[in-house]
Amino acid sequence: MELLNTLVDKGLRREPPTREEALAVLATADDDLLDVVAAAGKVRRAWFGRRVKLNYLVNLKSGLCPEDCSYCSQRLGSQTGILKYTWLKPEEAAAAAGAGVAGGAKRVCLVASGRGPTDRDVERVSRTIQAIKEQHEDVEVCACLGLLSDGQATRLRDAGADAYNHNLNTSEATYGDITTTHTYADRVTTVRQAQAAGMSACSGLIAGMGETDEDLVDVVFSLRELDPDSVPVNFLIPIEGTPLAEKWHLTPQRCLRILAMVRFVCPDVEVRLAGGREIHLRSLQPLALHLANSIFLGDYLTTEGQAGKDDLAMIADAGFEVEGTDTTTLPAHRADALAAAGAGCGAHGEAAGGCGSAGGGCAPCGDAATSETSATSETPATSDTAPVTSAAVPAEAPPAATPAAGARTDLVAVRRRGAGTDLPPNA
């Protein structure tokens, strides 16, 4: 069959696959995995070349969260033993950010636990952003502070924030099984507030929480409709002491198929390889660079990541290069839309070109998923259109709700960064 050739052609035209095609990617056999990676890699290289953007997390406030997100070590009533502390001072956060910038990070992500910031918190984070920008003029700053209230996105943008992160995490249908203290709609609203304020939106997912293939496709198509500029793909770290501690559903092969599906659905978006990559991809991490054009450098919020020097060596050994601050990450049509609209790339105006939108506007995911109309929008500067080998697609995907045979449940004696020390994560 011509599935992969079709998906490459659509990706180069910024045309969405159908839901059936996206599901077929997740259902491909391990024997066909390299063909899937090669196909999605053509789309990745067409829009982003061989560049890898580095991002660095600074945890401004750890634990003490009133929300009950089942995957999170900082959740209400957490017994995970993570280090808990209130707000870092602006100079402390700036020093922590400097470590990431020194390692090559182009974006610093400022994260704080909690339902959402108070106005006083926004002022505090604004001073932190200004402190970082004073020392590192060219660095991008992304804030991740939870649900925003009216006017807060604009204040963050005025303080110098370039982007705002708020992940959808999972499908709308299953969201209530993961979190009960806020809704999926709350998250969508916050992403749209960030876009309306002129910030670049960052929103992604967590795979491995027991979701089905249909759930994964649902959330990725919802992200396409929402149209963030960057989509972080996290793989659940089953931390002891959380309700999802026993959820071991991922293998390296499944992680690669998920990344490939995201790339096909959102071809011209910054796809970020995020939390859990070291645990679940393991020695196949370099293959993931053919799918994602962005990674986190070093540690995460409450768990340790791969050593930064090992990340840099992996990128070089795989034949990729670290993206410099003098390079625009996004393809020209997205970067120009972000600069011109003043309302975030893919803001939902009638004339705005969405993530891979065919012809103009961000179609609802149901419409986009069934569109067979050829796209008339800008094509990538580098057309890598050589045919790819078709992969045989099984009639049915394996159940996602049972632990995969190759899943390793012995890997997370979870290293809780800072636990038992005076050092906050990434400080």
Side-chain angles (χ1 to χ4, degrees):
M1 63 182 300
E2 293 297 316
L3 171 66
L4 296 180
N5 288 327
T6 298
L7 291 173
V8 171
D9 290 342
K10 286 185 173 184
L12 297 180
R13 298 195 303 265
R14 293 193 291 144
E15 181 182 343
T18 65
R19 282 183 54 86
E20 290 72 22
E21 288 167 341
L23 286 166
V25 172
L26 296 179
T28 48
D30 286 350
D31 285 349
D32 300 310
L33 182 61
L34 289 180
D35 294 334
V36 173
V37 172
K42 289 178 182 292
V43 178
R44 180 254 201 263
R45 290 194 303 278
W47 294 110
F48 298 96
R50 301 190 73 83
R51 295 177 282 114
V52 178
K53 180 177 180 177
L54 300 183
N55 308 266
Y56 191 73
L57 284 167
V58 177
N59 198 358
L60 297 179
K61 181 166 72 79
S62 182
L64 313 173
C65 184
E67 303 300 288
D68 68 353
C69 305
S70 299
Y71 51 81
C72 187
S73 60
Q74 304 183 79
R75 71 191 302 270
L76 178 68
S78 172
Q79 300 297 316
T80 57
I82 61 167
L83 189 68
K84 299 176 182 178
Y85 55 88
T86 191
W87 294 92
L88 296 182
K89 295 182 175 62
E91 59 271 21
E92 294 172 330
V101 174
K106 183 176 178 178
R107 173 174 287 191
V108 172
C109 304
L110 302 177
V111 188
S113 61
R115 179 179 177 85
T118 65
D119 287 342
R120 182 180 178 184
D121 294 335
V122 169
E123 177 60 32
R124 191 194 320 264
V125 174
S126 296
R127 292 197 301 270
T128 298
I129 294 168
Q130 291 160 0
I132 292 171
K133 293 277 190 174
E134 286 173 2
Q135 297 182 27
H136 309 286
E137 182 179 0
D138 295 329
V139 74
E140 298 174 7
V141 175
C142 178
C144 178
L145 311 175
L147 303 173
L148 295 174
S149 301
D150 289 345
Q152 290 183 332
T154 299
R155 290 173 59 191
L156 289 167
R157 177 58 175 159
D158 290 346
D162 301 284
Y164 195 84
N165 166 263
H166 202 57
N167 294 330
L168 297 188
N169 289 331
T170 192
S171 69
E172 183 172 12
T174 60
Y175 194 84
D177 297 332
I178 301 299
T179 302
T180 67
T181 48
H182 60 266
T183 67
Y184 180 92
D186 291 333
R187 288 184 170 267
V188 170
T189 297
T190 286
V191 175
R192 287 179 172 156
Q193 285 175 320
Q195 290 173 320
M199 286 188 284
S200 177
C202 173
S203 187
L205 65 142
I206 304 173
M209 297 191 292
E211 70 282 339
T212 65
D213 285 0
E214 287 77 10
D215 290 322
L216 283 170
V217 169
D218 282 348
V219 67
V220 176
F221 272 93
S222 293
L223 286 166
R224 182 188 169 92
E225 178 186 0
L226 195 55
D227 196 26
D229 294 315
S230 55
V231 174
V233 181
N234 297 276
F235 301 108
L236 177 71
I237 302 176
I239 300 175
E240 66 270 24
T242 66
L244 299 184
E246 303 301 320
K247 295 289 185 181
W248 289 95
H249 300 307
L250 297 173
T251 64
Q253 294 82 2
R254 180 160 175 80
C255 292
L256 289 171
R257 283 191 285 267
I258 291 168
L259 287 166
M261 186 268 288
V262 174
R263 175 56 71 196
F264 286 131
V265 177
C266 294
D268 59 341
V269 166
E270 176 190 337
V271 176
R272 186 175 307 151
L273 188 57
R277 63 178 167 94
E278 301 89 347
I279 293 169
H280 296 294
L281 281 161
R282 304 193 286 278
S283 61
L284 296 191
Q285 284 187 78
L287 278 181
L289 296 178
H290 292 272
L291 308 170
N293 62 294
S294 179
I295 68 170
F296 279 109
L297 180 71
D299 295 336
Y300 303 103
L301 295 177
T302 63
T303 59
E304 293 179 4
Q306 185 166 280
K309 62 181 178 58
D310 293 335
D311 286 332
L312 298 175
M314 176 181 71
I315 291 168
D317 290 348
F320 292 87
E321 61 184 19
V322 173
E323 183 174 291
T325 57
D326 58 344
T327 302
T328 302
T329 300
L330 297 172
H333 59 276
R334 293 191 70 93
D336 291 347
L338 179 59
C345 182
H348 288 252
E350 288 298 319
C355 157
S357 58
C362 239
C365 65
D367 295 341
T370 57
S371 173
E372 295 298 332
T373 306
S374 295
T376 58
S377 52
E378 179 183 338
T379 56
T382 306
S383 290
D384 191 353
T385 56
V388 293
T389 304
S390 297
V393 181
E396 293 184 20
T402 56
R408 291 276 301 279
T409 61
D410 61 329
L411 291 171
V412 182
V414 168
R415 301 165 293 169
R416 290 181 290 269
R417 179 72 167 95
T421 77
D422 294 329
L423 291 175
N426 277 2

